[in-house]
Amino acid sequence: MTIRRLSIYTRCLLQLEEDGVKTVSSQELAERFNLNSAQVRKDLAYFGEFGVRGIGYYVAGLKAELQRILGLDREWAVVLVGFGNLGSALFHYKGFTRQGFKVVAIVDENPTKIGREVERVPVIASRDMAREVKARGIQIAILAVPVEAAQAVTDELVAAGIRAVLNFAPTRLRVPRDVRLNNVDLSIELETLSFYLAKSAR
Amino acid sequence: MTIRRLSIYTRCLLQLEEDGVKTVSSQELAERFNLNSAQVRKDLAYFGEFGVRGIGYYVAGLKAELQRILGLDREWAVVLVGFGNLGSALFHYKGFTRQGFKVVAIVDENPTKIGREVERVPVIASRDMAREVKARGIQIAILAVPVEAAQAVTDELVAAGIRAVLNFAPTRLRVPRDVRLNNVDLSIELETLSFYLAKSAR
DNA sequence: TAGATTGTTAATCGATTAACAATC
DNA sequence: TAGATTGTTAATCGATTAACAATC
């Protein structure tokens, strides 16, 4: 949870920097997200002494520190597996690029897509996936394939050296202990909503 | 968090029922998700006494109870706002329908899309959104619009009577206290991954 | 110096887990 | 009855918050 908040702080600091704000206090930062100022200070202090007593935090400096901590001070090569509607949406979502995530290869089964290039990024066949991942030393994979294919694709990616997976398939993937896996589960999100609606109807 | 777990249990129970399993213990359920059996029992017991001592839980019965609790025993009309790549991906994602969420209207700005029907669902213009939401008593909105438009659209949806929003725009939306808001933030998901990669590189 | 705000310790709160009597 | 498993209480753990000395 701390990491997620660091990510949120970073976005806020980017905005503050654009707005020309030079310093920000834990109190100000906290108010923007309904958090406690002690929590903000603790989150930040965990990684170092970034603040100045009596002043707060220098926006530019703190932003740079957090970006470094989150690994956003470098570019990450990403392989996007699955180029249907969802894959396409993720590919065109500019928020990723801005933070240093660069899709360098797209994998799909569809013969009419294979061999094409999308904004200079090649669409390759599944059978070439492992080779490409290894050759380019890609560490991050975004999985936008159907449930049926998800586990097999994951196993292959891991074997090829992938170390972090962002999974959109609504299924529980098994990965080795040293591979990071984040799931985005749309059904769970919707079901928490209907729970609250159903509850207030009761 | 309890609600998210209920959602996960439900999916598991659906699978167990398909597999012809009649009863399941908290221990078995817990093992599938690296949870503690006491937690499973506590989650379930919070909503009623669904188990049988010495036996466990009847799969069919528990599934039905959880579906009722999560509001999955009825159909929810949903308005999908934004029909770009992401909106399109969400629309075609069958997982929603299966759980009783039915997109009954699609809203988009693009004149070439407006007036069309996609799988019997009409694509309507923004200016007709509020009327449609009111007329059909739609309570849930899925937001797949650009950041710039998100807050304005949300305000209009809320004014029209929407009570739960699933937001994909990477921005903090302001909604009244009685409106449920879930955010799916893809940047945060990726950044937690790069944090771990950066950390292990340090 | 006086005012502001940090970093950090101690207190609080809530969530998870262990343990076990109840009971099928 | 013996074995299994629940529902629930008490213990533990971790995360959040309050408070405050340190210090700009």
Side-chain angles (χ1 to χ4, degrees), chain A residues 38-181:
Chain A
Q39 181 160 73
V40 172
R41 292 199 297 281
K42 198 154 216 182
D43 284 343
L44 299 176
Y46 182 77
F47 293 97
E49 296 206 3
F50 303 140
V52 183
R53 283 152 209 250
I55 305 287
Y57 302 87
Y58 290 106
V59 171
L62 183 59
K63 184 204 74 173
E65 288 287 359
L66 294 187
Q67 287 187 323
R68 187 183 51 77
I69 293 163
L70 291 171
L72 303 181
D73 58 344
R74 48 160 288 182
E75 194 165 87
W76 294 97
V78 174
V79 58
L80 172 62
V81 190
F83 201 56
N85 277 309
L86 180 59
S88 187
L90 296 171
F91 181 76
H92 291 107
Y93 172 49
K94 294 305 167 200
F96 289 160
T97 326
R98 216 182 39 215
Q99 293 295 321
F101 300 98
K102 177 145 178 40
V103 174
V104 297
I106 300 169
V107 180
D108 203 277
E109 294 276 57
N110 190 331
T112 67
K113 293 178 184 170
I114 294 167
R116 276 176 46 198
E117 283 202 350
V118 190
E119 297 180 13
R120 304 260 180 74
V121 180
V123 180
I124 63 174
S126 295
R127 68 170 173 285
D128 298 325
M129 181 173 76
R131 188 203 309 151
E132 197 74 6
V133 167
K134 278 181 207 156
R136 288 167 160 273
I138 304 174
Q139 297 190 69
I140 302 179
I142 300 180
L143 227 63
V145 300
V147 171
E148 311 83 66
Q151 186 62 56
V153 167
T154 304
D155 293 344
E156 208 186 332
L157 285 167
V158 169
I162 285 288
R163 298 185 51 226
V165 177
L166 182 55
N167 172 41
F168 288 86
T171 184
R172 193 126 199 119
L173 294 177
R174 290 174 302 280
V175 293
R177 212 168 268 271
D178 61 338
V179 173
R180 286 285 312 177
L181 171 65

Side-chain angles (χ1 to χ4, degrees), chain B residues 1 17-18 23-24 45 55 64 73 78-79 85 94 101-102 113 137 144 146 151-152 156 158-159 161 183 187 198 201:
Chain B
M1 279 296 119
E17 195 176 39
E18 265 185 37
T23 67
V24 66
I55 304 287
D73 58 344
V78 174
V79 57
N85 275 310
K94 294 305 168 201
F101 300 99
K102 178 146 177 43
K113 293 178 184 169
Q151 186 62 57
E156 208 187 331
V158 169
N183 292 293
S187 292

Side-chain angles (χ1 to χ4, degrees), chain A residues 186, chain B residues 86 90 96 142-145 166-170 182-184 186:
Chain A
L186 307 178
Chain B
L86 181 58
L90 296 171
F96 289 160
I142 299 180
L143 227 63
V145 300
L166 183 55
N167 172 41
F168 288 87
N182 274 12
N183 292 293
V184 176
L186 306 179

Side-chain angles (χ1 to χ4, degrees), chain A residues 12-13 16 21-32 37 40-41 44 51-52 54-59 62:
Chain A
C12 184
L13 290 164
L16 287 171
V21 179
K22 295 299 177 197
T23 66
V24 65
S25 70
S26 59
Q27 180 63 44
E28 289 166 324
L29 225 33
E31 272 165 13
R32 291 174 186 254
S37 68
V40 172
R41 292 199 297 281
L44 299 176
V52 183
I55 305 287
Y57 302 87
Y58 290 106
V59 171
L62 183 59

